Every structure is written in structure tokens, then in C-alpha cells.
């Protein structure tokens, strides 16, 4: 079967499709596969999304349930992935660019009528002048290595070299900006860079007032001048003085108009940077999985090698980006260079200062996270820059994530306040206009801002959202809003950016006013609207089951059934009281139980997954032409670097514990011996329970769960007959649960009625011509609570079940299973087409 064609948004942002954990079935329910980030109702083009649309062209309202379901689940995905924002909101931030006060405001290239020649002509006159001869020596072309890929695992990296004129022309703009930023930090004696170069590194445990808070025994701290003063005062100690801090004070005062006073400290910084980067080199990282960081670094005792992800450069060299997108990626490339340089500087200090082998990077000033690149980036810019939708896609938006937070990479100090409940996670949005200014000469020559690095290089913070941690995670992000704290200081460019945002808000809510709120309220009250994670995990489990990947298929039930990190599953089956408290009560519409009933793979032993030989990739790095020439003239550089990179494994999911099974309906033994039958019995008990208490349930979901459970029971019986001693190690032929199609005008709500022993369909509910036929199973048979052989449809008693549980499965009300009891072990074929059956008479 041919692969589905991609929708326009999926085509432009196709790296999203590499992330299997974001896929959900609704994105593939029509003739095209969708991205999950498209702007719909009103519809927007994936490139010219700032175009005004009118009339039928705008497509302002969904026409059917599938379109409604896809819209709402996609916008849930967007708000989660984009930290509180949707795609249509973010598109407004790329509408305008700034090139100079002479030219005023230009458009970012996302209007069909944009003339790129006009913007390019303006920028040619105003862009920063690139002068490679003035760069730091460690940034120059002769410090770059070529990437040569020799890998059994295909990637899109291929070979990359600065000898390619197009590639080098792309790199030059970002390197020029990185050089200017670094020299500005030096000239202005920025505290973060001063700390990296001259701050004291010592063991955390050797600071008496902080020793008890160390995250691990050999943790190191890197102390800023400000922290040294604070520690000296609190511990009644003499202030520690670095060589730099003991320079005469008049030599530390940097003013751009007094060159002599600035020269000495400027050279002190400069020489220290040059000394620590004598063996700093650069190259290209292979294509990484979607969402991976833009940069990496490798440090040895002999050299430091910083990598730039080739996917970033692939987009920049493609010629397909708009001006706004180009500035976003060029800026991000500069950020990567400086971020990775900070890692190299610390590694060089470790080497020059004789530090023991194997030490982790230090925590700066007792930070929450040991991650030097992000720690310095946050001190310079106010946070860590992140590209959305994913790191190696065409960019949609640049976010500044306040650092540290629960989402920060690196080695954590778990006791830090940043990881405790109530801690804020704050996100800012950087409009493309503010990123473009760094590439314009007028910014650097503007005398009204003599100290460029002040206020995080003039950060505005116009668009923010802040959300508090709850139970260690964020389930729902607060929306992005305009921060008007300093609105009296806004200039015409700030006003234009905010105006574009507000105009976009008005247009979308105007076009959605008639239908959106009502449709969303109806959808959110159903199992379809339970949230993004459940929908993703149901689809993910089905995909991994089809691949017979037991290791990968564990993640979905871990999320929904077992629990993950600090979160229980949809229902906490380890606590009987909590479990029943969270089941629906009579007359209540609660659908947590729906997603709890996803199937579990059964393992009797622990599993671990690591990168193996078959998945290892070999990358060879050799000096570029300029680098080889300098090496031949005496530069101390390795002739070849070979890296073998094993498959990346998320450490949180690299280990699979043996299966567990809790059945709160078993009042003798809450925890049972795990088995496939045992879990299916728990599903049966839940179906039985919501029926017995007369909960209002979604008919389409109830019948689909029942059908799938019956089908799996039939398959398990057949496997038990065919493999009596190892059936628990055999895969069922299929797990074909499918999320029912959403129909807003036929939701199928139903409630069990004892008077006529039938399901009654509530208003706006589907009607079945007749209730399913009933079995003759006798609910008074108490053996059902003691022996697996009395589960409805169990094979003959001479069939052994070595992994079966000895616990009961009956509900506390003594109710029988709603699954057809007429199944037999000889029926090995799927019974998915058969009508599900329930019990005729309830004996209370």
C-alpha cells in the first residue's frame, strides 16, 4: 500500500513526522497525513501564513466530526509542544522585520505579495560587515573539520565541509555575530564570562554552609564574584581573590571612550580566551532525531571539538526559507557556537588546572542544573533559546525558556527549588524582528545603547506565559499573553509586533465566535477530549504492537496504566480506595477508565536496551583544506577524528521492569501474578462495574473496548491451546483497537437501565435497534472468584495456564463479566465482527 501523501503543512515541517511519540491516528484519517501544527479554521498556508483570507477561501468552520476532532487534538498538541501557544498565534511573530530606522519596518516573507528583493536590497546595505581577519583565531576557517559519514545506519548527514562555498557563506554570518557577541562580553566585563574564565572551581562539599545540599559527593561548583562576596560574608571568611580581581580598579573600568583604561582588562580577558581555545576545533554533527539539540561538544585532554547540527545548515542552504526564518536559524547557529564554546572553556580549564579525570561540569553558583552552556546562555540572554516546532525543522518560532526549570537538560540537583511544586516555568517568545536587529550594523553602532549586553542585550519580554509545576510536571500550560509592564517604553517596532499579535487574535476569534466554544465544550466532555497524551499513547501502542516491539510498547501502558515518574496512570490501581474514587459514579460522565483499559505486554524478567553494534554509526572527521594547510605548517591538531555513536536511548526508558498487575476488584490480593488473562479480566471488571453503577458511558468507546477485549480473549485461548507451556511468551496476532470516529451530533452516551436490563441512550446519543444478546452465564457461580478456568470463554480444564493469577476478578457487587461466555478454546480466529454480549439478568 502506497504511503499517504503529506498535507502542505506536513510537507514543509516534515521533521515532525520523525517523532513517533507525537503521532495520533486522527492525523491520518483522510487522504493525507497531517502534521498536527496546521493552522485551520480559518486556514492558513504553511509558508504565507500572514496572508489575509476572505470568504470561502478562509474555510472558517469544520464540516464534520473528523475535522473537529483533528482541530482540537492538534491544538492540544500545539499548546503542549509550544508551551501554551498555538501555531496560529505564533505566526504573528514573524510578520515584521527591522533593518534600520531608515527603512523602517519590513515584512518577514510570509505574505504572498512580499517582494524578497526589496528586503534583501535593504539588508545588503545595512547588514553587519563580515571581516574574517578580525575573528578570534579559534573561530576562523582553518579551525573547521569536515564530516565524512561512514555508517550502516542511513542518515541525512552525508559529508559536510567548509570548503563548500555555499555552506561557508551561510556559516560566516553567524560566526561574525558570535565573534561580536564574545568581544562585547569581554569589553563589558560580563559577569558570566568572567566567571567561566576566572571563577574559582572547588568541591561543593568543601563549602561548610552548603555542604549538606550537594547533589552528589564529587559535585563541583564554579563561583562568580558575587557569590564569593556572599559566601565570605555568610561564613565570616576573607574574600577569595582571583588574579583578575586583584588588578588595579582603574584598569577594570571599561568605558568605550577611554581606550587606555579598557585596554588592560580587555587583553586579560582576550588572552585568557585565546589560551583556553588553542586547541578548539569545529565540525558538523550528523542528522539527529527530531527534537535533539542543535549542538554538541567533545572534549579530550588533547583537543575540544564543537559540533553544529547539519540539519540546521541544510535548511539554511536550501534557499527555501523566508527572511524571518533565516534570521531565526542564523541567530540559533550563533547561540550554538557560544554555547558549545562554554563547554570547551571549562574542559580546557580542567586540563590546564590538573583536575582529576571523569569530573562532571560544575554547578555555577549552586545552580539547579550542571550544564555550563545553558547556565552561561541564561545569564547572557535571560534564558535558553529553543526553536519550535522541533529543533531541526523549518523554524516557526524562537522561544526563550527561563532557566533553570524542570525541562532543563543536564545533571540536576533534585532538592533545588526549581524542581519543587509551585515553581514557575516561564516562556518568552522572541519575534523575528528582535533577532534580525543583531545582524544589522546600526544596532552595533547605536550610541544610545553603549553597553549592548545590558538587560540581556535589550530583551523586551513582550510575550510571556508562566505555569506552575504540579506533582513535578506541567499538564496544561497557561496561555501566552502580552506583557505590558513596560508598555510606556515601547517604540514603533514594539507597537507593530504587539499590534500584529492582537490583530491575529481578533481575526481568529471573530471567525470562530459562532461555533468554537460550543463545539469545544461538547468535545472536551467526551473520551475524545480527554487530552493529548492518552490519544497519542493508544495509537503508539498499536504501532509498536504491530511491530512486535515489546520494549517500545511498554511506554504507552506505563503512561496510562502503570504510571510515569510522579504521575499515576489514568487510574491508580495500586491504591484500591483511590481507584474506586476515580471511577465514575452513577449518572456521571467520566472517561478515565476508557484509556486505562489499554493492553499490557507481559514480561516475567527485566529488560534493558542499549545501543548495539548493529545500530552504531561511524563518523570520520578530517581537516578542511584550510585546516590541513595550517596543520602542515605546524598547528597541533589531530589528523583524523573517528567517533562511533551508538543509538541514542532515553535513560528514563532504557529499562523495563518485570510486569506488574494490580486488580482493585480482587479483595483478597490487590497485587496479582501478571498474566495477559489477568489484565483482560481487569478490563472486564471495569466494563462490568461502570454498567452496574449506571455510569453514563460513551457507547462507541464502550463497544469498541468490549469488541477488542473479546477478540484478545479469543486469541489468548487459541494460544493457550497451541502453546500450553509458554503461551504467555506468545504475541497475539493483532491488537486492532481503533479510536471511534467523532460525531458531535451523535455522541452515543448511554446508561444501563435495570428495569428492562438494557442500555438506554441519552439525548444526542446513538440508538441501537436492539441490545446485544445475553449469555447464560450464572453470576451466582462463586468459583469465578477463585479459579481462572471459570472466566467466561476459558478453554477446557485440561489446558494448563502456568502464568495465570489465582486471584478473583469479580466486582465487589458479585457481577459477572459483560464479555460473551460462549467463547471456546477451539475458536482461534478473530471474533471482532461478532456482536458483544452482556448479562441478561443482574442478581443484586
Amino acid at each position: 500500500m502506497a504511503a499517504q501523501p503529506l498535507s502542505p503543512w506536513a510537507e514543509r515541517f516534515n521533521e515532525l513526522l520523525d517523532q513517533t511519540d507525537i503521532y495520533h491516528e486522527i492525523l491520518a484519517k483522510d487522504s493525507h497525513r497531517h502534521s498536527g501544527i496546521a493552522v485551520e479554521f480559518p486556514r492558513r498556508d504553511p509558508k504565507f501564513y500572514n496572508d489575509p483570507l476572505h470568504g470561502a477561501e478562509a474555510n472558517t468552520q469544520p464540516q464534520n466530526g473528523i475535522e473537529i476532532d483533528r482541530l482540537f487534538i492538534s491544538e492540544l498538541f500545539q499548546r503542549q509542544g509550544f508551551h501554551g501557544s498555538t501555531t496560529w498565534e505564533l505566526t504573528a511573530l514573524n510578520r515584521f522585520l527591522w533593518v534600520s530606522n531608515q527603512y523602517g519596518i519590513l515584512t518577514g516573507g510570509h505574505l504572498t505579495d512580499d517582494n524578497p528583493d526589496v528586503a534583501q536590497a535593504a539588508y545588503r546595505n545595512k547588514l553587519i560587515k563580515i571581516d574574517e581577519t578580525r575573528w578570534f583565531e579559534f573561530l576562523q576557517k582553518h579551525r573547521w573539520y569536515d564530516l565524512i559519514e561512514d555508517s550502516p545506519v542511513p542518515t541525512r548527514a552525508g559529508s559536510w565541509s567548509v570548503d563548500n562555498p555555499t555552506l561557508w557563506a551561510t556559516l560566516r554570518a553567524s560566526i561574525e555575530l558570535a565573534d561580536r557577541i564574545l568581544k562585547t562580553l569581554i569589553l563589558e566585563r560580563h559577569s558570566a564570562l568572567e566567571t567561566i574564565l576566572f571563577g574559582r572551581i572547588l568541591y561543593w562539599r568543601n563549602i561548610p554552609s552548603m555542604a549538606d545540599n550537594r547533589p552528589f559527593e564529587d559535585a563541583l561548583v564554579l563561583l562568580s564574584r558575587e557569590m564569593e562576596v556572599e559566601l565570605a560574608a555568610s561564613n565570616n571568611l576573607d574574600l577569595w581573590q582571583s588574579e583578575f580581581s586583584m588588578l588595579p580598579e582603574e584598569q577594570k573600568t571599561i568605558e568605550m571612550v577611554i581606550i587606555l583604561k579598557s585596554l588592560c582588562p580587555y587583553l586579560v580577558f582576550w588572552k585568557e580566551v585565546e589560551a583556553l581555545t588553542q586547541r578548539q576545533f569545529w565540525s558538523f554533527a550528523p542528522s539527529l532525531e527530531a527534537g535533539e539539540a542543535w549542538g554538541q561538544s567533545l572534549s579530550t585532554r588533547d583537543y575540544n571539538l564543537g559540533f553544529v547540527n547539519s540539519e540546521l545548515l541544510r535548511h539554511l542552504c536550501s534557499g527555501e526559507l523566508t527572511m524571518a526564518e533565516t534570521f531565526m536559524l542564523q541567530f540559533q547557529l550563533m547561540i550554538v557556537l557560544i554555547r558549545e564554546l562554554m563547554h570547551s572553556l571549562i574542559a580546557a580549564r580542567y586540563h590546564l588546572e590538573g583536575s582529576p579525570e571523569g569530573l562532571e561540569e560544575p554547578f555555577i553558583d549552586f545552580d539547579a542544573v550542571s550544564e555550563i552552556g545553558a547556565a552561561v546562555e541564561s545569564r547572557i540572554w535571560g534564558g535558553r533559546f529553543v526553536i519550535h516546532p522541533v529543533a531541526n525543522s523549518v523554524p516557526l518560532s524562537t522561544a526563550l525558556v527561563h532557566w533553570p526549570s524542570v525541562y532543563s537538560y543536564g545533571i540536576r540537583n533534585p532538592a533545588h527549588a526549581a524542581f519543587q511544586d509551585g515553581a514557575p516555568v516561564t516562556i518568552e517568545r522572541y519575534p523575528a524582528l528582535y533577532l534580525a536587529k543583531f545582524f544589522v550594523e546600526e544596532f552595533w553602532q547605536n550610541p544610545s545603547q553603549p553597553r549592548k549586553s545590558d538587560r540581556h542585550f535589550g530583551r523586551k519580554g513582550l510575550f510571556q506565559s508562566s505555569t506552575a509545576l504540579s506533582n513535578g510536571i506541567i499538564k496544561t500550560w497557561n496561555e501566552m499573553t502580552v506583557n505590558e509592564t513596560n508598555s510606556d517604553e515601547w517604540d514603533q517596532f514594539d507597537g507593530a509586533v504587539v499590534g500584529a499579535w492582537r490583530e491575529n487574535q481578533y481575526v481568529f476569534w471573530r471567525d470562530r465566535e459562532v461555533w468554537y466554544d460550543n463545539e469545544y465544550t461538547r468535545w472536551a466532555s467526551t473520551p475524545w477530549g480527554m487530552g493529548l497524551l492518552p490519544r497519542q499513547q493508544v495509537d503508539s501502542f498499536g504501532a509498536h504492537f504491530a511491530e512486535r516491539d515489546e520494549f517500545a510498547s511498554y511506554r504507552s501502558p506505563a503512561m496510562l496504566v502503570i504510571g510515569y515518574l510522579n504521575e499515576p496512570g489514568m487510574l491508580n490501581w495500586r491504591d484500591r480506595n483511590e481507584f474506586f474514587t476515580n471511577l465514575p459514579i452513577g449518572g456521571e460522565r467520566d472517561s478515565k477508565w476508557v484509556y486505562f483499559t489499554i493492553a499490557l505486554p507481559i514480561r516475567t524478567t527485566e529488560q534493558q536496551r542499549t545501543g548495539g553494534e548493529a545500530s552504531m554509526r561511524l563518523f570520520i572527521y578530517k581537516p578542511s583544506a584550510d585546516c590541513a594547510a595550517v596543520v602542515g605548517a605546524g598547528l597541533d591538531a589531530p589528523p583524523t577524528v573517528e567517533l562511533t555513536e551508538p543509538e541514542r536511548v532515553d535513560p528514563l526508558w532504557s529499562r523495563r521492569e518485570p510486569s506488574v498487575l494490580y486488580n482493585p476488584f480482587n479483595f483478597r490480593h490487590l497485587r496479582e501474578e501478571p498474566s495477559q488473562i489477568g489484565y483482560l479480566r481487569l478490563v472486564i471488571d471495569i466494563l462490568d462495574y461502570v454498567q452496574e453503577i449506571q455510569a453514563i458511558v460513551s457507547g462507541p468507546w464502550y463497544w469498541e473496548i468490549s469488541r477488542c477485549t473479546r477478540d484478545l480473549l479469543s486469541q489468548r485461548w487459541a494460544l493457550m491451546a497451541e502453546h500450553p507451556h509458554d503461551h504467555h511468551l506468545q504475541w497475539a496476532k493483532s491488537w486492532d483497537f481503533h479510536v471511534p470516529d467523532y460525531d458531535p451530533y451523535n455522541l452515543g452516551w448511554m446508561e444501563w437501565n435495570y428495569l428492562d436490563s438494557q442500555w438506554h441512550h441519552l439525548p444526542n446519543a446513538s440508538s441501537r435497534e436492539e441490545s446485544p444478546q445475553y449469555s447464560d452465564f450464572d453470576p451466582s457461580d462463586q468459583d469465578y472468584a477463585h479459579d481462572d478456568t471459570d472466566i467466561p470463554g476459558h478453554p477446557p480444564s485440561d489446558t494448563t495456564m502456568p502464568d495465570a493469577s489465582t486471584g478473583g476478578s469479580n466486582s465487589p457487587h458479585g457481577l459477572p463479566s459483560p464479555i460473551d461466555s460462549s467463547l471456546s478454546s477451539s475458536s482461534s480466529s478473530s471474533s471482532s465482527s461478532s456482536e458483544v454480549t452482556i448479562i441478561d439478568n443482574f442478581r443484586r
Side-chain angles (χ1 to χ4, degrees), residues 760-782:
H760 279 213
H761 301 279
L762 305 180
N764 192 19
S766 60
S767 60
R768 298 167 76 93
E769 293 184 358
E770 57 182 6
S771 294
Q773 297 301 308
Y774 308 121
S775 76
D776 57 359
F777 181 76
D778 184 2
S780 64
D781 184 355
Q782 295 303 307

Side-chain angles (χ1 to χ4, degrees), residues 206-272:
N206 292 340
I207 303 174
S209 61
M210 302 296 293
D212 292 342
N213 297 326
R214 62 187 184 274
F216 52 90
E217 183 59 28
D218 290 332
L220 296 172
V221 289
L222 171 61
L223 301 179
S224 68
R225 179 69 175 169
E226 295 78 9
M227 183 57 69
E228 291 282 9
V229 171
E230 182 179 329
L231 289 174
S234 62
N235 291 279
N236 197 26
L237 299 172
D238 292 334
L239 179 62
W240 180 83
Q241 301 284 346
S242 67
E243 177 182 345
F244 177 78
S245 65
M246 291 187 287
L247 289 171
E249 192 60 35
E250 63 269 15
Q251 293 184 7
K252 296 180 180 178
T253 304
I254 299 178
E255 296 182 32
M256 296 191 61
V257 296
I258 308 175
I259 301 300
L260 291 178
K261 287 186 178 182
S262 68
L263 182 59
C264 181
Y266 190 90
L267 290 178
V268 170
F269 268 73
W270 192 298
K271 290 177 180 178
E272 188 71 10

